[in-house]
Amino acid sequence: QKITSRPILLKVVYARYARFLKLTKNTQEAVIWFENNGRRIKSVPTYDPGGGPMNMVKYIYHITNQKLLPNTVYGKINHVINFLSLVDKSGIEQVNGKDLERFTEIYREKNNGQLEDYLAHIATFFINAQAQGFIQEHPFRDISLKMKGANVRVDFIGEEGIKSLLDLRLLDRKSPLEVRDALSCALAYDAGLRVGELYGLDASDINIDEDGDIYIALREGVQKGHKPKTHIYFIFDETKAILKYYLEISRPSLDPREEALLISTHNRRRLNKENVATRIKEFMAKRGIQ
């Protein structure tokens, strides 16, 4: 109730619903279906000798059985609704090739981002919608679904930064939060874990095999792309030391109310994903790590 009483949030929520309610009934139903059932699409480029010199590559789309992740679904829905707004259409069944051309011109004028990625998001929605019978045709048949990720920054922690991260002499063991945050950073580095994977780890996912080696059992539901269960062994000795201390001393002192590995002091439950990212940034800044 406290959250929904905030005027700014109310305006944001209202604006989203207002945009949704302006869509045609068919498009509303397509959005609702996609929100719950949207599937990953694989696109395979093929040579089309009859396509002319400017359009000789066609794409064959294959709808997989893998559901899109919730954040991905919401992002694609927002892209589609923005697209419809920019081309002055209220329904996906109204979209044609001229709308795609118009959108391309508008997007290039207003954005420095990757147009191809934006179109890939929209195409995924339209291909799903066509397969379900919400539309018969769409102008995204020749769009590649391969994401180029123009906004992804290729940054790496330098050697001195890694030494600082793994220097146990700098760790304040009396602070459960510092131990927790140091563990988050170390596990993310050692195992190449995404924030969402860190967030989803349970204490029971940390195991010791018959040879006494520590490993992480990364469950299917935790990994991006619904990959099968994976055992990760590559963990530095310093990280193992932090992990052992956290599990034996720091985590129990936080009085956890669930199996989550990373515990919040606020409600003694799983530290939410946004706070995992924030705490990592704050810990790195404290150590002076770029």
Side-chain angles (χ1 to χ4, degrees):
Q1 186 176 2
K2 290 181 180 178
I3 294 177
T4 56
S5 66
R6 296 178 184 175
I8 294 178
L9 181 58
L10 279 176
K11 289 181 181 179
V12 172
V13 172
Y14 175 80
R16 288 178 179 173
Y17 276 102
R19 292 170 63 197
F20 175 78
L21 293 174
K22 289 181 180 178
L23 301 174
T24 63
K25 183 178 179 181
N26 177 62
T27 303
Q28 289 179 8
E29 292 176 353
V31 167
I32 292 171
W33 178 88
F34 186 78
E35 187 175 16
N36 296 292
N37 304 284
R39 297 292 197 273
R40 289 186 60 196
I41 310 292
K42 288 185 178 180
S43 62
V44 180
T46 59
Y47 175 69
D48 180 16
M54 299 299 293
N55 194 26
M56 300 185 75
V57 176
K58 299 287 185 180
Y59 288 91
I60 297 176
Y61 297 116
H62 171 64
I63 301 176
T64 71
N65 291 323
Q66 293 180 320
K67 280 190 174 183
L68 293 166
L69 296 176
N71 287 345
T72 303
V73 166
Y74 299 143
K76 294 184 188 303
I77 289 174
N78 282 331
H79 284 322
V80 170
I81 294 177
N82 287 334
F83 168 80
L84 292 174
S85 176
L86 284 173
V87 298
D88 295 324
K89 294 293 174 67
S90 58
I92 57 175
E93 66 276 7
Q94 303 167 357
V95 174
N96 55 45
K98 291 184 178 179
D99 294 318
L100 178 55
E101 293 176 3
R102 182 182 178 190
F103 172 79
T104 300
E105 293 177 1
I106 295 173
Y107 188 89
R108 284 176 172 163
E109 288 178 1
K110 294 185 176 182
N111 297 275
N112 296 320
Q114 191 64 253
L115 172 65
E116 290 80 3
D117 285 4
Y118 203 110
L119 292 177
H121 285 299
I122 302 173
T124 299
F125 180 93
F126 273 81
I127 294 167
N128 270 276
Q130 184 183 36
Q132 291 300 310
F134 291 107
I135 51 176
Q136 298 300 316
E137 294 289 337
H138 61 80
F140 299 94
R141 292 177 297 276
D142 301 325
I143 300 297
S144 170
L145 301 185
K146 185 176 181 181
M147 307 294 287
K148 296 184 178 180
N151 295 325
V152 176
R153 295 184 305 172
V154 184
D155 292 341
F156 299 92
I157 299 176
E159 184 177 352
E160 292 303 315
I162 295 303
K163 289 180 179 179
S164 176
L165 175 62
L166 299 178
D167 191 343
L168 299 183
R169 297 171 300 175
L170 302 176
L171 184 62
D172 181 5
R173 295 175 183 261
K174 294 181 181 180
S175 170
L177 297 187
E178 179 161 334
V179 177
R180 181 199 65 189
D181 297 342
L183 176 63
S184 297
C185 296
L187 283 178
Y189 176 76
D190 291 4
L193 298 180
R194 299 176 175 85
V195 171
E197 292 168 338
L198 270 174
Y199 156 80
L201 283 178
D202 288 341
S204 57
D205 293 331
I206 311 301
N207 297 273
I208 300 178
D209 66 14
E210 57 186 12
D211 295 322
D213 289 333
I214 294 178
Y215 68 91
I216 302 172
L218 204 57
R219 290 171 281 114
E220 180 179 355
V222 173
Q223 299 185 77
K224 182 177 181 180
H226 302 284
K227 298 176 184 176
K229 187 175 182 179
T230 304
H231 289 176
I232 299 176
Y233 273 89
F234 188 74
I235 304 174
F236 283 110
D237 289 338
E238 293 87 348
T239 303
K240 291 179 181 178
I242 299 172
L243 181 58
K244 186 173 185 295
Y245 189 87
Y246 176 75
L247 289 174
E248 293 180 357
I249 307 296
S250 302
R251 185 175 179 276
S253 72
L254 294 174
D255 189 24
R257 305 293 171 82
E258 60 175 283
E259 267 295 299
L261 178 65
L262 305 179
I263 298 296
S264 168
T265 57
H266 174 63
N267 57 11
R268 311 296 179 180
R269 297 186 182 280
R270 190 182 304 274
L271 187 67
N272 69 49
K273 190 182 299 185
E274 291 74 17
N275 281 340
V276 172
T278 299
R279 297 296 300 188
I280 286 177
K281 291 177 182 178
E282 290 178 352
F283 182 86
M284 290 293 193
K286 182 179 179 180
R287 289 285 180 93
I289 299 173
Q290 297 295 320

